[in-house]
Amino acid sequence: VLKMRTLRKVQLDLTGELPDFRKDTAHIRSDPSWRVSPVPSRLQCRHVDIGDLSPCDTKRLTQGLRSPAQGIQVKGREVPGPLFDFGLLMFHNAKHLFETESGPFFYLSKVESYLEANLWNRVFVWTEDRLGLPVGSTKATVLIECVLASFEMEEILYELREHSAGLNCGIWDYSASFVNKFGHRPDFLLPDRSKYVNMEKHFLRSYMDLLVQTCHRRGALATGGMAALLLPRDSKSALYKTVVNTVTRQETVNMMPDYSAELTYLCNKVLKLLEIKAGVDGFMVYDVNLIEPMQRLFQQHSKSQSQLHQLRSGLTVTPEDLLTMPAGGVTLNGLMYNIAVGVLFIEAWLSGRGHFFYRGQVEDSATAEISRSQVWQWIRHQVKLEDDGRTVSCGMVKSLAQDLVADLRAATHCQTQRDEERLMTAIIMFLEVVKKSDFPEFLTTYLYLDHTFLSSQRLHEERVRDGGYRARL
């Protein structure tokens, strides 16, 4: 299956062709009779899940379990993470989860084709048989994070129809997949995400609309992306109330008091009314304080546990709708923001964390992927900055990374020599990634296998063994 994924990418590169809806599976899409199996009652309301919750953060995990959220997302990262995490959880917990009507439920990330969904379905059936569970007791939500998968959504649902909990759409991994698959083509130059890329843009809105239509047509739930905003700590402050009011009342940002441009941007990102009106059945938040405001938002506008009644039957989405890039250029601020996010993710990753906080929101592998993807693509195509016409180059990116060191130190709370060494290593590794002639498919896979990371680990081991630090950078 993985070789088929690689072959498909090679074929697209060699032929210059564009993806389309498959002819050999047209019978699945044209057959109106099939539906996914109904989900258990525990999954029928998916309004708000907590995203990016790691079991190793026991305080936050406990907080999440005690919250009124409908569910929590726990992600495994290291290969062979998916099968290892699945097997471990099923072996120890599946029967108990099933008996208490609390699972077993999963998210499947990075699925690119119905062949991969078929493989997961076989894994589920095999496991249920070995553990004595009824067929279909395992449910999975597939994250449509790759542009190629958006052309096979019905087929993916069909393969998992006994085990489906629906499909999920999100903005940054999906946008990054365009660079992954077509980044060398000038027609697929993705503009500054901070300024020109959001769910209102045609290619992303078409993707969300198609996902909702596909799911509801087949009786499956459609969920949206994560609101990454972190609310101010002081719940009694005017700023806190303004953000919550903006979220729950959907005021336009122009109507807000004159707070910083940064806050304006964050509030724009967290407005989820667009997704609700598009028909999504739920989405994720990071900040547990956003759970109840978001639940109220659903109660006000959806009036039920789900929006399965919104069939979007008059909607037609074409390949052109899914593949047309938004207009726009590149700004110096957007370039520096991408550099900062990419470096800080690598620093967090070297620290054993999968996410970090920057400028009032949570950042994770999804935002790191789009950040490093855009920098790689802008260097490759030698784009010019809107600000002053300078050409984005490896030298410029290196210079800007050096200019950002003070800001990065503050963001990572650098206090020790080891902290400084880890940050400098992260900068070096980020520059290596964006300078590569061939695009590394996944950032985390590249980091695990890269010599710089291995050298950094050996250096740390030597420091511990020798009781001191010997600089080699």
Side-chain angles (χ1 to χ4, degrees):
V1 169
L2 287 177
K3 287 179 179 178
M4 289 297 292
R5 176 190 284 195
T6 302
L7 177 61
R8 194 175 187 192
K9 174 67 167 68
V10 171
Q11 288 175 331
L12 289 170
D13 287 346
L14 290 177
T15 64
E17 294 175 351
L18 295 175
D20 202 344
F21 299 103
R22 299 178 65 109
K23 294 180 180 179
D24 59 339
T25 55
H27 62 285
I28 294 175
R29 299 192 301 276
S30 62
D31 180 0
S33 63
W34 66 268
R35 295 288 187 276
V36 301
S37 297
V39 295
S41 58
R42 191 68 174 266
L43 279 179
Q44 287 173 7
C45 180
R46 294 288 303 278
H47 287 173
V48 181
D49 281 4
I50 306 175
D52 286 351
L53 201 158
S54 172
C56 66
D57 186 350
T58 53
K59 181 179 178 181
R60 181 167 153 75
L61 177 63
T62 303
Q63 184 184 27
L65 290 170
R66 290 175 174 168
S67 77
Q70 274 75 33
I72 60 175
Q73 182 187 48
V74 179
K75 288 187 177 180
R77 294 294 186 192
E78 184 176 359
V79 174
L83 288 176
F84 179 83
D85 289 351
F86 172 79
L88 200 64
L89 184 140
M90 290 293 286
F91 181 79
H92 289 287
N93 304 305
K95 286 188 177 180
H96 177 70
L97 289 170
F98 180 72
E99 289 167 359
T100 57
E101 300 183 349
S102 300
F105 308 141
F106 295 90
Y107 277 99
L108 301 182
S109 62
K110 303 298 181 289
V111 171
E112 292 193 6
S113 78
Y114 79 97
L115 295 175
E116 296 170 22
N118 174 276
L119 174 60
W120 270 113
N121 194 68
R122 284 185 280 147
V123 170
F124 294 160
V125 170
W126 186 92
T127 305
E128 288 165 344
D129 177 65
R130 294 306 187 277
L131 296 179
L133 294 170
V135 173
S137 55
T138 307
K139 299 295 182 182
T141 299
V142 176
L143 282 70
I144 303 298
E145 299 176 302
C146 176
V147 57
L148 302 184
S150 66
F151 289 88
E152 299 185 26
M153 288 193 282
E154 287 208 68
E155 292 89 334
I156 288 170
L157 278 181
Y158 181 81
E159 294 295 340
L160 287 164
R161 59 193 180 278
E162 291 182 316
H163 296 99
S164 178
L167 304 178
N168 172 272
C169 63
I171 184 171
W172 296 132
D173 274 314
Y174 184 77
S175 296
S177 77
F178 280 79
V179 182
N180 189 332
K181 302 303 181 185
F182 314 118
H184 60 289
R185 306 189 196 186
D187 291 346
F188 286 91
L189 186 65
L190 195 64
D192 190 333
R193 71 182 178 99
S194 302
K195 187 175 180 180
Y196 297 112
V197 182
N198 57 59
M199 289 305 293
E200 292 183 298
K201 298 303 178 183
H202 187 71
F203 83 112
L204 289 172
R205 180 60 192 258
S206 299
Y207 149 65
M208 178 170 63
D209 286 343
L210 180 61
L211 185 141
V212 170
Q213 181 193 54
T214 300
C215 286
H216 291 181
R217 182 187 181 203
R218 301 304 182 179
L221 297 171
T223 52
M226 184 168 70
L229 178 70
L230 299 173
L231 290 175
R233 292 186 179 180
D234 183 2
S235 60
K236 296 181 180 180
S237 69
L239 184 58
Y240 181 98
K241 292 176 181 177
T242 298
V243 174
V244 172
N245 287 340
T246 301
V247 173
T248 56
R249 300 207 313 256
Q250 305 88 55
E251 296 172 355
T252 63
V253 174
N254 292 333
M255 295 168 62
M256 291 176 56
D258 187 20
Y259 291 110
S260 67
E262 178 179 302
L263 177 60
T264 299
Y265 171 62
L266 291 174
C267 288
N268 251 332
K269 289 188 69 175
V270 80
L271 291 174
K272 307 297 280 185
L273 184 59
L274 174 70
E275 295 183 27
I276 295 176
K277 289 187 173 180
V280 301
D281 301 295
F283 38 63
M284 289 178 278
V285 300
Y286 181 84
D287 193 331
V288 293
N289 291 314
L290 276 175
I291 295 171
E292 293 191 43
M294 290 299 188
Q295 288 174 334
R296 286 197 298 270
L297 193 63
F298 262 103
Q299 291 162 5
Q300 291 166 6
H301 293 278
S302 69
K303 309 298 184 184
S304 61
Q305 286 189 319
S306 72
Q307 300 200 84
L308 285 169
H309 58 280
Q310 287 204 28
L311 298 177
R312 308 295 302 275
S313 54
L315 174 72
T316 299
V317 176
T318 67
E320 291 73 24
D321 291 325
L322 295 170
L323 297 172
T324 301
M325 292 290 91
V330 178
T331 67
L332 178 61
N333 179 67
L335 176 58
M336 293 182 72
Y337 186 74
N338 278 343
I339 294 170
V341 170
V343 170
L344 290 173
F345 174 77
I346 296 174
E347 191 279 336
W349 186 84
L350 290 171
S351 303
R353 294 173 283 117
H355 64 276
F356 62 96
F357 308 107
Y358 186 59
R359 296 187 180 181
Q361 63 183 336
V362 64
E363 307 278 2
D364 58 13
S365 62
T367 50
E369 285 288 10
I370 187 61
S371 295
R372 64 98 181 187
S373 297
Q374 290 208 302
V375 175
W376 179 91
Q377 190 183 40
W378 295 343
I379 291 172
R380 183 181 182 91
H381 292 285
Q382 298 181 314
V383 300
K384 296 186 183 299
L385 295 179
E386 290 182 347
D387 310 72
D388 52 21
R390 285 186 293 163
T391 300
V392 177
S393 64
C394 292
M396 176 191 285
V397 171
K398 182 177 181 180
S399 177
L400 291 176
Q402 292 169 344
D403 293 341
L404 281 166
V405 167
D407 185 41
L408 298 175
R409 282 196 185 107
T412 56
H413 307 289
C414 265
Q415 295 179 340
T416 67
Q417 194 171 21
R418 177 61 178 166
D419 293 339
E420 180 77 10
E421 180 249 346
R422 186 168 56 244
L423 178 59
M424 293 303 108
T425 300
I427 293 173
I428 292 170
M429 295 175 79
F430 177 79
L431 293 175
E432 285 182 357
V433 170
V434 298
K435 288 178 181 178
K436 299 287 287 186
S437 57
D438 293 322
F439 184 81
E441 185 174 17
F442 297 114
L443 178 58
T444 48
T445 304
Y446 178 80
L447 296 178
Y448 274 118
L449 301 177
D450 181 71
H451 67 90
T452 306
F453 166 64
L454 298 177
S455 298
S456 174
Q457 291 302 99
R458 284 195 296 269
L459 178 65
H460 178 57
E461 291 167 3
E462 290 174 3
R463 182 178 70 86
V464 173
R465 184 175 64 248
D466 299 344
Y469 171 72
R470 297 178 296 180
R472 290 185 178 179
L473 286 177

